[in-house]
Amino acid sequence: MLSLLAEAAQHAPLQWEDLGLRPGIDLGFFTLRYYSLAYLAGILLGYWHLSRMIKAPGAPMAQRHVDDLFFYCTLGIIIGGRLGYATFYQPSLWANPADLLKLWQGGMSFHGGLIGVLLAMLWVSWRGGLPFLRVADYVAVNVPFGMLFGRIANFINGELWGRTGDVPWAMVFPGAGPLPRHPSQLYEAALEGALLIVVLLFLFWKTRARWRPGLLVGVFTAGIGLGRFSVEFFREPDVQLAAFAARTGLSMGQWLTIPLILLGLALVARALMRPPLGSVPAAGRQGEDASRDSSEPA
């Protein structure tokens, strides 16, 4: 890969087809697509890691709640992602609802999947009597796993390519014309996936962030919004929304991320302005210290 990138900087632009990538594994009777495997890997890895997280002190839920979240969040990702794509990016799908079921034809919206996961968390939290904000903190730490795998799968499929560019690593994608383009799928994988994984895992395991309700989900929400907003400058707008992007100056993805950024920053500010869970006000600590001193023998 690196040798191909170096050669592209000096000679002809890199060709995506030269990478030898395939959209899936041909089983003869069926092609197991990497995009499906990416969803599955992200969900399973998130389930495994969340099961580990609740074993650390301060967990707001038990394993049975993790199992419920695994089931309902999976439904939320699939149903919300598909309905969100039809609503935000391709409204023509609503004219023939049967097309909504054709997931193998592609078309999933991150924002729709996020809404689906949000509704799933609300349902599990309400039914189990759990603090919603803390449940959201724990789930948010695991979402970037799916983002990383999903965007890598987009690159392997040669879809959702970026705008034309003259950077050394730009490449020609099949169906995108003869000009080299930004591999914006990899930009998203790096920002929305790998970077957020490092930040959120560090905050959870190496700091006391989990004791501040809303901090982790706030960092995730603001981070995913900022990452997507930035990458959209290099990503080719959907064909049916190119006129919308030209007219408004921002793509649909960017407009949809602005509320996420604001919400995330508000959650972070709220979490940092409140005392962490388990803390005792200074006056209370002084009273406890005085009581302890008076009860100790002279």
Side-chain angles (χ1 to χ4, degrees):
M1 174 74 77
L2 293 177
S3 62
L4 286 173
L5 291 176
E7 182 180 349
Q10 301 175 0
H11 304 289
L14 181 65
Q15 301 287 325
W16 178 90
E17 293 179 333
D18 291 341
L19 300 177
L21 301 175
R22 297 292 182 269
I25 303 173
D26 188 1
L27 302 178
F29 62 95
F30 177 73
T31 299
L32 184 59
R33 295 191 172 274
Y34 290 121
Y35 197 68
S36 301
L37 291 176
Y39 268 88
L40 182 61
I43 292 171
L44 291 178
L45 181 56
Y47 172 77
W48 171 81
H49 186 252
L50 182 56
S51 297
R52 284 196 61 201
M53 292 170 65
I54 64 170
K55 293 180 173 63
M61 68 187 94
Q63 185 62 46
R64 66 179 184 277
H65 302 120
V66 175
D67 296 340
D68 287 344
L69 284 168
F70 171 72
F71 175 74
Y72 289 109
C73 285
T74 300
L75 289 181
I77 292 170
I78 296 173
I79 298 175
R82 189 60 173 166
L83 296 182
Y85 179 79
T87 301
F88 301 131
Y89 296 97
Q90 195 167 344
S92 61
L93 287 173
W94 290 108
N96 188 4
D99 290 341
L100 293 172
L101 303 177
K102 299 177 181 179
L103 300 179
W104 57 90
Q105 294 184 355
M108 298 288 283
S109 164
F110 162 74
H111 300 89
L114 185 63
I115 294 172
V117 170
L118 179 64
L119 293 175
M121 289 190 299
L122 283 168
W123 168 250
V124 173
S125 299
W126 174 78
R127 194 173 70 167
L130 306 176
F132 171 75
L133 204 52
R134 299 209 65 215
V135 171
D137 280 333
Y138 276 62
V139 172
V141 174
N142 299 284
V143 176
F145 292 130
M147 300 299 299
L148 173 63
F149 295 141
R151 295 314 178 192
I152 292 177
N154 289 144
F155 179 75
I156 293 175
N157 288 343
E159 60 190 7
L160 302 183
W161 51 75
R163 302 173 190 265
T164 56
D166 58 358
V167 294
W169 53 86
M171 61 186 65
V172 177
F173 288 90
L179 297 177
R181 295 175 175 273
H182 287 277
S184 58
Q185 315 96 321
L186 298 182
Y187 300 172
E188 290 189 78
L191 292 178
E192 301 172 17
L195 179 59
L196 273 182
I197 288 173
V198 172
V199 171
L200 290 172
L201 290 186
F202 175 82
L203 288 175
F204 183 87
W205 291 108
K206 298 299 183 181
T207 74
R208 293 182 58 82
R210 66 177 179 269
W211 300 100
R212 291 184 177 275
L215 180 57
L216 290 169
V217 70
V219 171
F220 164 78
T221 305
I224 205 79
L226 288 169
R228 181 64 181 272
F229 189 91
S230 301
V231 172
E232 284 287 327
F233 286 112
F234 304 97
R235 182 177 174 181
E236 185 74 10
D238 294 74
V239 175
Q240 68 274 18
L241 293 176
F244 172 86
R247 184 173 66 254
T248 64
L250 296 175
S251 69
M252 175 63 77
Q254 287 175 312
W255 284 112
L256 292 175
T257 54
I258 291 175
L260 290 181
I261 297 171
L262 297 177
L263 175 61
L265 294 176
L267 287 171
V268 170
R270 175 187 182 277
L272 294 178
M273 291 173 61
R274 299 189 175 199
L277 296 177
S279 63
V280 180
R285 287 199 303 270
Q286 293 173 1
E288 289 179 358
D289 293 341
S291 175
R292 187 182 303 112
D293 292 341
S294 64
S295 63
E296 291 178 352

